[in-house]
Amino acid sequence: QVQLVQSGAEVTKPGASVKVSCKASGYTFTGFYIHWVRQAPGQGLEWMGRINPHIGDTKYAQKFQGRVIMTRDTSISTVYMELSRLRFDDTAVYYCARPIGDYDLHYWGQGTLVTVSS
Amino acid sequence: QSALTQPASVSGSPGQSITISCTGTSNDIGGYKSVSWYQQHPGKAPKLMIFDVSDRPSGVSDRFSASKSGNTASLTISGLQAGDEADYYCNSHTNNGTHVFGTGTKVTVL
């Protein structure tokens, strides 16, 4: 069965960077995009971007351009989301997700809480 | 890219039907057959309920249905049940290759 398993919670300081991983299993890793979505405490869902694991091309939301980098390691079926120059309002649960079609987000990771605190 | 607009809250009694709207523009909802809907219970990851405007993934109850007209998409929950109480979000692909979520709607079962 399709599974996306994310790395554990992180506590980090303003101005630092954080890198969250998402390990995929149960399907052909290079066959589907992986998207990243975040949710700040008590707030709604926010789409951050996506990566094509086959060729590595990425598309980011304008809000995160210049601060986010999504990469993948096909040898271990894992994608990474690195967010730099962290601010307090980057505190959120970060999810990876995979579609079943072209535009949906069907399979979700368990979420990774990133806390930015001084 | 601005968030799609949803009502903050919708409520209904058990057994009733409710509809949640999601309004965007011709650059997102109006331009693509790519609207999806998500249910999220507190502390849980979102769950895909509808994709490609009106298709249901395997395992999702047929009490959930959806449609689109112009720049507005709608999700209808019929035969409302206590377990349907959750937050609901729409999502659409956009003309610059990104995605955008709606502002979210809290559904309350009275």
Side-chain angles (χ1 to χ4, degrees):
Chain A
Q1 73 282 21
V2 175
Q3 278 196 306
L4 300 173
V5 179
Q6 299 182 221
S7 48
E10 302 261 11
V11 179
T12 186
K13 294 188 182 303
S17 297
V18 69
K19 192 171 186 177
V20 180
S21 68
C22 171
K23 182 172 177 58
S25 62
Y27 71 98
T28 301
F29 175 67
T30 53
F32 297 87
Y33 288 2
I34 293 287
H35 297 249
W36 288 90
V37 175
R38 77 176 188 179
Q39 186 170 37
Q43 302 302 307
L45 301 174
E46 185 172 32
W47 186 85
M48 299 181 68
R50 62 89 178 145
I51 182 169
N52 178 346
H54 181 52
I55 58 175
D57 75 299
T58 55
K59 189 72 175 179
Y60 304 135
Q62 186 174 8
K63 174 177 179 176
F64 299 102
Q65 288 275 5
R67 275 212 307 145
V68 70
I69 300 175
M70 297 176 186
T71 56
R72 91 292 191 211
D73 185 338
T74 57
S75 69
I76 55 172
S77 300
T78 299
V79 299
Y80 302 91
M81 186 284 300
E82 183 172 19
L83 189 62
S84 60
R85 302 194 300 279
L86 289 168
R87 306 186 294 250
F88 293 116
D89 62 0
D90 290 317
T91 294
V93 176
Y94 290 76
Y95 293 101
C96 60
R98 198 216 88 173
I100 49 174
D102 291 330
Y103 300 118
D104 60 278
L105 303 169
H106 188 199
Y107 300 99
W108 292 72
Q110 82 275 22
T112 297
L113 176 62
V114 174
T115 303
V116 183
S117 173
S118 55
Chain B
Q1 182 73 47
S2 298
L4 306 174
T5 301
Q6 297 180 232
S9 62
V10 173
S11 61
S13 299
Q16 285 187 330
S17 293
I18 61 170
T19 296
I20 303 168
S21 62
C22 172
T23 301
T25 71
S26 57
N27 294 325
D28 38 66
I29 291 177
Y32 301 90
K33 188 179 181 291
S34 65
V35 179
S36 51
W37 289 90
Y38 302 85
Q39 176 192 66
Q40 188 181 34
H41 287 108
K44 301 293 188 182
K47 175 185 177 183
L48 177 68
M49 305 302 284
I50 296 286
F51 68 103
D52 290 352
V53 176
S54 58
D55 291 342
R56 275 188 309 275
S58 174
V60 171
S61 170
D62 60 4
R63 297 186 301 104
F64 292 84
S65 62
S67 62
K68 182 186 85 161
S69 177
N71 298 334
T72 299
S74 300
L75 173 72
T76 297
I77 309 174
S78 57
L80 200 61
Q81 299 177 358
D84 299 332
E85 188 161 291
D87 294 324
Y88 291 81
Y89 296 90
C90 58
N91 180 281
S92 176
H93 183 73
T94 77
N95 65 346
N96 58 11
T98 62
H99 284 243
V100 61
F101 278 100
T103 49
T105 298
K106 181 177 180 60
V107 168
T108 301
V109 181
L110 301 172

